[in-house]
Amino acid sequence: QVQLVESGGGLVQPGGSLRLSCAASGFTFRSYTMSWYRQAPGKQRELVARISSAGSTTNYADSVKGRFTISRDNAKNTVYLQMNSLKAEDTAVYYCNAAGKVTLWGQGTQVTVSS
């Protein structure tokens, strides 16, 4: 019943763009801070971007500032990550996270940046 489902990952060339989506269900989405994390093989999971419950505040990792944009549509219970000017170092599994009364994680979606 409580679920986060990511979509939009895939293979893209360096300099290209992708838009990830995370569809939420089974909880009061508008009350939760939403984040995107990523994890590359052999690396720790790291915070990529975060957005407050009303969408008024955002935070980004230094490595993605100016290239990625997090947004949310509380009417659609969906959070997005627009990724532009992608680099090989962005290759990772990207996970959606919800933080509020409880903490929830999606299953992840693979993003591969390669020529």
Side-chain angles (χ1 to χ4, degrees), residues 18-24 29 32-36 48-60 67-84 96-97:
L18 284 174
R19 191 192 197 201
L20 306 184
S21 298
C22 173
F29 178 81
Y32 280 67
T33 297
M34 300 298 299
S35 300
W36 288 95
V48 176
R50 176 167 286 158
I51 187 166
S52 60
S53 58
S56 56
T57 303
T58 58
N59 299 97
Y60 298 93
R67 300 187 298 121
F68 290 11
T69 303
I70 188 170
S71 62
R72 67 191 295 160
D73 186 339
N74 285 349
K76 294 182 177 179
N77 288 354
T78 303
V79 63
Y80 306 94
L81 186 67
Q82 178 67 47
M83 305 186 293
N84 299 327
C96 184
N97 168 274

